[in-house]
mmCIF file of all heavy atoms in Angstrom:
data_model
loop_
_atom_site.group_PDB
_atom_site.id
_atom_site.type_symbol
_atom_site.label_atom_id
_atom_site.label_comp_id
_atom_site.label_asym_id
_atom_site.label_seq_id
_atom_site.Cartn_x
_atom_site.Cartn_y
_atom_site.Cartn_z
ATOM 1 N N LYS A 173 142.620 -61.828 -165.895
ATOM 2 C CA LYS A 173 143.474 -62.744 -166.662
ATOM 3 C C LYS A 173 143.866 -62.131 -168.006
ATOM 4 O O LYS A 173 145.011 -62.262 -168.435
ATOM 5 C CB LYS A 173 142.753 -64.084 -166.845
ATOM 6 C CG LYS A 173 143.715 -65.237 -167.055
ATOM 7 C CD LYS A 173 143.322 -66.480 -166.271
ATOM 8 C CE LYS A 173 143.728 -66.420 -164.808
ATOM 9 N NZ LYS A 173 143.243 -67.529 -164.018
ATOM 10 N N ALA A 174 142.917 -61.450 -168.630
ATOM 11 C CA ALA A 174 143.197 -60.839 -169.936
ATOM 12 C C ALA A 174 144.320 -59.812 -169.843
ATOM 13 O O ALA A 174 144.974 -59.505 -170.843
ATOM 14 C CB ALA A 174 141.925 -60.192 -170.482
ATOM 15 N N HIS A 175 144.543 -59.274 -168.635
ATOM 16 C CA HIS A 175 145.597 -58.273 -168.445
ATOM 17 C C HIS A 175 146.754 -58.798 -167.605
ATOM 18 O O HIS A 175 147.587 -58.011 -167.138
ATOM 19 C CB HIS A 175 145.016 -57.012 -167.787
ATOM 20 C CG HIS A 175 144.061 -56.268 -168.679
ATOM 21 N ND1 HIS A 175 142.734 -56.616 -168.793
ATOM 22 C CD2 HIS A 175 144.253 -55.218 -169.500
ATOM 23 C CE1 HIS A 175 142.137 -55.796 -169.659
ATOM 24 N NE2 HIS A 175 143.045 -54.932 -170.098
ATOM 25 N N GLY A 176 146.797 -60.103 -167.367
ATOM 26 C CA GLY A 176 147.873 -60.686 -166.573
ATOM 27 C C GLY A 176 147.894 -60.212 -165.123
ATOM 28 O O GLY A 176 148.949 -60.113 -164.505
ATOM 29 N N ILE A 177 146.698 -59.920 -164.580
ATOM 30 C CA ILE A 177 146.599 -59.410 -163.206
ATOM 31 C C ILE A 177 146.143 -60.536 -162.270
ATOM 32 O O ILE A 177 145.279 -61.336 -162.626
ATOM 33 C CB ILE A 177 145.586 -58.232 -163.144
ATOM 34 C CG1 ILE A 177 146.077 -57.077 -164.030
ATOM 35 C CG2 ILE A 177 145.343 -57.774 -161.715
ATOM 36 C CD1 ILE A 177 145.042 -55.979 -164.231
ATOM 37 N N LEU A 178 146.722 -60.559 -161.070
ATOM 38 C CA LEU A 178 146.370 -61.551 -160.060
ATOM 39 C C LEU A 178 145.068 -61.144 -159.351
ATOM 40 O O LEU A 178 144.854 -59.964 -159.086
ATOM 41 C CB LEU A 178 147.502 -61.611 -159.035
ATOM 42 C CG LEU A 178 147.499 -62.765 -158.051
ATOM 43 C CD1 LEU A 178 148.153 -63.991 -158.694
ATOM 44 C CD2 LEU A 178 148.268 -62.385 -156.787
ATOM 45 N N THR A 179 144.221 -62.143 -159.029
ATOM 46 C CA THR A 179 142.974 -61.825 -158.313
ATOM 47 C C THR A 179 143.021 -62.358 -156.885
ATOM 48 O O THR A 179 143.451 -63.481 -156.641
ATOM 49 C CB THR A 179 141.752 -62.448 -159.024
ATOM 50 O OG1 THR A 179 142.064 -63.799 -159.379
ATOM 51 C CG2 THR A 179 141.387 -61.664 -160.251
ATOM 52 N N MET A 180 142.555 -61.508 -155.948
ATOM 53 C CA MET A 180 142.477 -61.905 -154.537
ATOM 54 C C MET A 180 141.071 -61.623 -154.035
ATOM 55 O O MET A 180 140.482 -60.604 -154.392
ATOM 56 C CB MET A 180 143.418 -61.046 -153.684
ATOM 57 C CG MET A 180 144.851 -61.416 -153.804
ATOM 58 S SD MET A 180 145.767 -60.566 -152.485
ATOM 59 C CE MET A 180 147.401 -60.775 -153.138
ATOM 60 N N ILE A 181 140.584 -62.511 -153.180
ATOM 61 C CA ILE A 181 139.259 -62.295 -152.598
ATOM 62 C C ILE A 181 139.319 -62.460 -151.084
ATOM 63 O O ILE A 181 140.032 -63.330 -150.579
ATOM 64 C CB ILE A 181 138.220 -63.286 -153.194
ATOM 65 C CG1 ILE A 181 136.811 -62.974 -152.695
ATOM 66 C CG2 ILE A 181 138.573 -64.739 -152.858
ATOM 67 C CD1 ILE A 181 135.726 -63.731 -153.410
ATOM 68 N N ASP A 182 138.583 -61.624 -150.392
ATOM 69 C CA ASP A 182 138.326 -61.824 -148.973
ATOM 70 C C ASP A 182 137.031 -62.636 -148.922
ATOM 71 O O ASP A 182 135.949 -62.117 -149.214
ATOM 72 C CB ASP A 182 138.172 -60.471 -148.261
ATOM 73 C CG ASP A 182 137.960 -60.626 -146.759
ATOM 74 O OD1 ASP A 182 137.436 -61.671 -146.343
ATOM 75 O OD2 ASP A 182 138.301 -59.684 -146.018
ATOM 76 N N ASN A 183 137.148 -63.920 -148.583
ATOM 77 C CA ASN A 183 136.005 -64.846 -148.641
ATOM 78 C C ASN A 183 135.358 -65.052 -147.271
ATOM 79 O O ASN A 183 134.637 -66.016 -147.062
ATOM 80 C CB ASN A 183 136.491 -66.199 -149.209
ATOM 81 C CG ASN A 183 135.375 -67.041 -149.803
ATOM 82 O OD1 ASN A 183 134.363 -66.508 -150.247
ATOM 83 N ND2 ASN A 183 135.547 -68.351 -149.816
ATOM 84 N N THR A 184 135.630 -64.137 -146.350
ATOM 85 C CA THR A 184 135.174 -64.297 -144.968
ATOM 86 C C THR A 184 133.649 -64.378 -144.856
ATOM 87 O O THR A 184 133.117 -65.261 -144.186
ATOM 88 C CB THR A 184 135.673 -63.115 -144.107
ATOM 89 O OG1 THR A 184 137.096 -63.054 -144.178
ATOM 90 C CG2 THR A 184 135.243 -63.261 -142.660
ATOM 91 N N PHE A 185 132.939 -63.446 -145.490
ATOM 92 C CA PHE A 185 131.483 -63.374 -145.302
ATOM 93 C C PHE A 185 130.755 -64.608 -145.844
ATOM 94 O O PHE A 185 129.841 -65.108 -145.205
ATOM 95 C CB PHE A 185 130.920 -62.091 -145.938
ATOM 96 C CG PHE A 185 130.763 -60.961 -144.953
ATOM 97 C CD1 PHE A 185 131.738 -60.726 -143.998
ATOM 98 C CD2 PHE A 185 129.648 -60.128 -144.968
ATOM 99 C CE1 PHE A 185 131.605 -59.688 -143.075
ATOM 100 C CE2 PHE A 185 129.502 -59.092 -144.049
ATOM 101 C CZ PHE A 185 130.478 -58.869 -143.103
ATOM 102 N N ALA A 186 131.140 -65.064 -147.028
ATOM 103 C CA ALA A 186 130.460 -66.237 -147.594
ATOM 104 C C ALA A 186 130.944 -67.501 -146.889
ATOM 105 O O ALA A 186 130.160 -68.401 -146.611
ATOM 106 C CB ALA A 186 130.742 -66.326 -149.079
ATOM 107 N N SER A 187 132.247 -67.555 -146.617
ATOM 108 C CA SER A 187 132.951 -68.724 -146.079
ATOM 109 C C SER A 187 133.070 -69.788 -147.163
ATOM 110 O O SER A 187 132.327 -69.789 -148.146
ATOM 111 C CB SER A 187 132.284 -69.304 -144.821
ATOM 112 O OG SER A 187 131.360 -70.313 -145.164
ATOM 113 N N SER A 188 134.003 -70.712 -146.941
ATOM 114 C CA SER A 188 134.251 -71.794 -147.925
ATOM 115 C C SER A 188 133.011 -72.644 -148.148
ATOM 116 O O SER A 188 132.893 -73.323 -149.162
ATOM 117 C CB SER A 188 135.362 -72.718 -147.429
ATOM 118 O OG SER A 188 136.283 -72.052 -146.619
ATOM 119 N N ILE A 189 132.090 -72.627 -147.187
ATOM 120 C CA ILE A 189 130.896 -73.457 -147.328
ATOM 121 C C ILE A 189 129.973 -72.885 -148.404
ATOM 122 O O ILE A 189 129.399 -73.615 -149.199
ATOM 123 C CB ILE A 189 130.142 -73.541 -145.969
ATOM 124 C CG1 ILE A 189 131.069 -74.114 -144.881
ATOM 125 C CG2 ILE A 189 128.851 -74.335 -146.101
ATOM 126 C CD1 ILE A 189 131.698 -75.463 -145.192
ATOM 127 N N ASN A 190 129.844 -71.590 -148.461
ATOM 128 C CA ASN A 190 128.910 -70.977 -149.417
ATOM 129 C C ASN A 190 129.509 -70.657 -150.776
ATOM 130 O O ASN A 190 128.780 -70.507 -151.744
ATOM 131 C CB ASN A 190 128.291 -69.722 -148.803
ATOM 132 C CG ASN A 190 127.189 -70.074 -147.832
ATOM 133 O OD1 ASN A 190 126.374 -70.940 -148.125
ATOM 134 N ND2 ASN A 190 127.184 -69.444 -146.682
ATOM 135 N N GLN A 191 130.823 -70.508 -150.845
ATOM 136 C CA GLN A 191 131.422 -70.312 -152.168
ATOM 137 C C GLN A 191 132.898 -70.697 -152.142
ATOM 138 O O GLN A 191 133.608 -70.414 -151.193
ATOM 139 C CB GLN A 191 131.217 -68.884 -152.704
ATOM 140 C CG GLN A 191 132.009 -67.793 -152.017
ATOM 141 C CD GLN A 191 131.549 -66.381 -152.383
ATOM 142 O OE1 GLN A 191 130.475 -66.175 -152.947
ATOM 143 N NE2 GLN A 191 132.355 -65.393 -152.058
ATOM 144 N N THR A 192 133.344 -71.364 -153.216
ATOM 145 C CA THR A 192 134.762 -71.676 -153.373
ATOM 146 C C THR A 192 135.244 -70.913 -154.608
ATOM 147 O O THR A 192 135.037 -71.347 -155.742
ATOM 148 C CB THR A 192 134.999 -73.199 -153.499
ATOM 149 O OG1 THR A 192 133.892 -73.799 -154.135
ATOM 150 C CG2 THR A 192 135.198 -73.843 -152.145
#
Side-chain angles (χ1 to χ4, degrees):
K173 205 137 280 174
H175 293 83
I177 298 170
L178 192 84
T179 45
M180 284 192 196
I181 186 170
D182 182 333
N183 202 26
T184 302
F185 264 41
S187 92
S188 330
I189 302 305
N190 281 317
Q191 71 192 14
T192 32

